[in-house]
Amino acid sequence: MIVNSARFVISNTDVSKCPSEMRHEFAFIGRSNVGKSSLINMLTGQKSLAQTSSTPGKTLLINHFLINDQWYLVDLPGYGYAQRSKEGRKEILRIIKDYILNRAQMTTLFLLIDGRHKPQKIDLEFMDWLGENSIPFAIVFTKLDKLSANAAKHATGAYCAELLERWEELPPVFRTSSVDRRGRAELLDYIDELCKLPLE
Ligand code: GDP
């Protein structure tokens, strides 16, 4: 897929106020600082469509971007941000889960995982919750330019092996870097294929 246009449409905290048209929607989520904004900017070819962590006052909103006048890319709030209060973290999870459980047009959720780290409890628990609720998702390893080719292969392989101890099969897995742009074509092609399917 070639991305010809990407524009911000709306931000909100309430799933009932998200755009009402039935378009395919692909949401991106992960722990704060995982590289989500950088990945969204890399995929859309725009420098600052999504606000990076360094942006002061970065909001905790569900952000809708319309891509190619065809599908929505949704930037969900990052979870597990240690500097927020327990109440604040709970509120973010409530917004996220409300969106995921109630958004019929969400075709796939891309769960971003920093490719350098071992599986973290918070991500594993979140994946278990996705599985329990039959939410279609894919794993996107980020920041792989920070590892050598061998180390990246080893780290992501070990991560997947650990997941297979919990599950019978893996979801689709993408290996990316916003710096060297690896994984971009694979991710966009995957979205392109899913966009061809009718929305129920
Ligand atoms: P977010 O909080 O998940 O939206 O994360 P950001 O996109 O703001 O990225 C957090 C930090 O990681 C920033 O300092 C980015 O420059 C850095 N970063 C994000 N993606 C990559 C990547 O693919 N490679 C490298 N080397 N750094 C990255």
Side-chain angles (χ1 to χ4, degrees):
M1 180 196 303
I2 295 172
V3 175
N4 294 311
S5 64
R7 66 180 174 86
F8 169 73
V9 176
I10 193 169
S11 280
N12 64 71
T13 53
D14 184 347
V15 65
S16 68
K17 294 188 188 135
C18 290
S20 56
E21 324 98 272
M22 285 304 277
R23 293 182 187 275
H24 281 284
E25 198 157 294
F26 298 89
F28 290 75
I29 197 166
R31 301 174 76 190
S32 298
N33 226 36
V34 71
K36 178 168 52 74
S37 314
S38 304
L39 184 82
I40 291 172
N41 293 335
M42 181 272 265
L43 288 176
T44 56
Q46 298 208 9
K47 274 203 182 103
S48 51
L49 193 66
Q51 296 177 342
T52 53
S53 296
S54 54
T55 309
K58 181 172 163 151
T59 50
L60 299 172
L61 298 168
I62 302 169
N63 294 300
H64 274 73
F65 302 99
L66 183 60
I67 313 298
N68 291 350
D69 288 324
Q70 184 197 11
W71 56 276
Y72 280 117
L73 185 159
V74 179
D75 182 7
L76 292 174
Y79 60 79
Y81 192 46
Q83 273 149 295
R84 282 186 204 290
S85 66
K86 202 171 166 204
E87 283 313 304
R89 291 203 296 267
K90 253 180 150 168
E91 174 63 5
I92 293 168
L93 267 182
R94 190 194 62 73
I95 294 170
I96 290 170
K97 290 186 172 178
D98 200 33
Y99 165 86
I100 292 173
L101 292 177
N102 295 298
R103 193 67 176 160
Q105 54 273 69
M106 192 194 74
T107 303
T108 285
L109 178 71
F110 291 104
L111 174 60
L112 276 56
I113 302 284
D114 189 323
R116 297 168 300 170
H117 302 323
K118 290 198 163 43
Q120 309 274 312
K121 190 163 170 250
I122 190 168
D123 294 322
L124 295 174
E125 283 176 358
F126 188 66
M127 285 186 236
D128 285 344
W129 180 83
L130 293 174
E132 281 157 20
N133 289 285
S134 306
I135 305 297
F137 74 101
I139 292 176
V140 178
F141 289 112
T142 60
K143 305 191 187 183
L144 292 179
D145 62 284
K146 292 197 177 207
L147 298 175
S148 70
N150 249 344
K153 205 170 155 191
H154 182 78
T156 56
Y159 196 108
C160 290
E162 197 162 327
L163 291 182
L164 281 173
E165 287 174 13
R166 303 162 74 93
W167 305 332
E168 278 175 22
E169 56 182 335
L170 286 177
V173 171
F174 297 90
R175 292 174 171 80
T176 72
S177 156
S178 301
V179 170
D180 64 21
R181 294 160 64 90
R182 82 182 72 170
R184 181 177 190 272
E186 289 81 356
L187 255 172
L188 289 174
D189 285 350
Y190 182 71
I191 291 173
D192 204 20
E193 285 305 312
L194 290 174
C195 279
K196 291 177 188 154
L197 301 174
L199 264 178
E200 279 157 27

